[in-house]
């Protein structure tokens, strides 16, 4: 009977630990519809149009243009970038490509997805996708791991004939992330997310105070969470509790009743 109680307590503890973990694995909600989605794109890193995750941005451009957007990605997220380009009615074969760069303008490799695709002559549209690696809270200086901060999306045609240059195209881009949770947690964190200008100081008030000049206003809903606790801690504590309960249960099963063995009266 006592063993059943130990097992029940262990299962209850495991269930309580799994609750926060399941909540963390749910993708973040889309931003509220208070602000309209962007309808234009930048032409360089400095003029990249800021977009929120979960919102579709559009832009009208010409074949051969470089289109730039920026978006925030936080610790534990695995961003997926999708782009659709609507092509003119008549055109030759075109190759389109999306590239993603982090806050240090390091090109980030795609885990999988059609990062480059060729649209056949006369095709109505071309669709591209790039699934990035999971964003880490900290990394070695020499590593190329994705880190929390601003990310840049560049969309362009890399193979366009001269006759098709300048033809009108319409682009749609969307960024969504999957919350990976504690399985991607690491020991350590960045002092600041990789947001352009976050470490640049500007002259403040007349008293000489200085404040950070942030050149990018994009950030996740609820702010940056780099370095906060994750469900990794929940599972660690749960494992320790389960190990303690298992030890107590094993001791209770093996120690016996604690009374001396029965001795026959005529012995």
């Amino acid at each position: 009977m006592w063993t059943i109680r130990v097992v029940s307590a262990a299962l209850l503890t495991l269930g309580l630990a799994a609750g926060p973990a399941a909540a963390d694995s749910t993708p973040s909600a889309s931003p509220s519809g208070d602000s309209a989605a962007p309808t234009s794109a930048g032409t360089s890193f400095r003029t990249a149009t800021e977009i929120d995750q979960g919102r579709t941005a559009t832009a009208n451009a010409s074949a051969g243009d470089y289109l730039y957007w920026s978006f925030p990605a936080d610790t534990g997220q695995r961003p997926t970038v999708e782009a659709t380009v609507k092509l003119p009615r008549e055109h030759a074969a075109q190759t389109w490509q999306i590239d993603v760069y982090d806050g240090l303008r390091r090109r980030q490799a795609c885990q999988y997805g059609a990062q480059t695709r060729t649209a056949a002559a006369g095709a109505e549209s071309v669709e591209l996708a790039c699934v990035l690696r999971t964003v880490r809270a900290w990394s070695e200086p020499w590593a190329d791991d994705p880190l929390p901060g601003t990310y840049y999306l560049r969309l362009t045609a890399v193979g366009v004939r001269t006759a098709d240059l300048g033809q009108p195209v319409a682009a749609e881009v969307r960024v969504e992330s999957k919350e990976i949770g504690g399985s991607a947690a690491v020991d350590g964190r960045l002092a600041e997310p990789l947001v352009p200008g976050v470490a640049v100081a500007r002259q403040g008030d007349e008293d000489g105070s200085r404040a950070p000049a942030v050149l990018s206003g994009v950030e996740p809903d609820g702010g940056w969470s780099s370095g906060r606790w994750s469900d990794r801690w929940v599972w660690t504590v749960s494992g320790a509790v389960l190990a303690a309960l298992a030890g107590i249960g094993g001791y209770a099963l093996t120690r016996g009743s604690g009374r001396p063995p029965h001795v026959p009266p005529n012995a």
Side-chain angles (χ1 to χ4, degrees):
M1 183 68 180
W2 194 90
T3 305
I4 296 177
R5 292 179 179 177
V6 171
V7 175
S8 300
L11 293 176
L12 177 60
T13 303
L14 183 61
L16 293 176
D24 288 344
S25 63
T26 304
S28 58
S30 299
S32 61
D34 295 339
S35 58
T39 56
S40 62
T43 56
S44 66
F45 286 103
R46 294 183 60 86
T47 62
T49 299
E50 299 176 356
I51 60 175
D52 294 316
Q53 292 196 29
R55 188 178 295 277
T56 300
T58 60
N60 293 322
S62 301
D65 290 345
Y66 285 86
L67 307 179
Y68 287 82
W69 293 267
S70 63
F71 63 92
D74 205 357
T75 301
Q77 292 184 340
R78 180 180 295 168
T80 297
V81 178
E82 298 178 339
T84 301
V85 182
K86 297 180 181 179
L87 304 173
R89 182 174 302 177
E90 296 181 0
H91 63 84
Q94 298 181 5
T95 300
W96 286 80
Q97 179 173 309
I98 53 175
D99 298 291
V100 182
Y101 300 84
D102 63 11
L104 298 178
R105 299 187 184 179
R106 301 177 302 180
R107 185 176 182 273
Q108 292 295 321
C110 301
Q111 279 190 315
Y112 49 88
Q115 181 181 7
T116 302
R117 297 191 68 176
T118 300
E124 295 183 357
S125 63
V126 58
E127 296 182 355
L128 308 168
C130 174
V131 180
L132 298 175
R133 294 172 294 167
T134 304
V135 178
R136 298 162 59 92
W138 179 86
S139 178
E140 294 288 349
W142 48 261
D144 194 29
D145 297 320
L147 295 170
T150 300
Y151 282 73
Y152 297 92
L153 163 62
R154 183 178 70 183
L155 173 65
T156 187
V158 295
V160 182
R161 295 184 178 181
T162 304
D164 289 338
L165 290 175
Q167 287 193 356
V169 295
E172 293 182 359
V173 296
R174 185 179 181 88
V175 181
E176 293 184 341
S177 289
K178 178 180 179 181
E179 296 289 345
I180 302 302
S183 61
V186 297
D187 295 328
R189 64 184 180 88
L190 297 180
E192 297 286 351
L194 299 180
V195 177
V198 72
V200 179
R202 59 177 172 83
Q203 189 65 33
D205 300 331
E206 295 180 357
D207 59 0
S209 62
R210 304 175 71 87
V214 179
L215 305 181
S216 177
V218 293
E219 67 176 28
D221 291 342
W224 299 101
S225 62
S226 177
R228 297 180 187 173
W229 73 279
S230 67
D231 57 1
R232 179 187 182 187
W233 293 100
V234 178
W235 286 106
T236 301
V237 174
S238 301
V241 172
L242 290 176
L245 293 176
I248 295 173
Y251 174 75
L253 291 175
T254 57
R255 72 184 179 91
S257 62
R259 294 177 296 179
H262 177 70
V263 180
N266 296 330

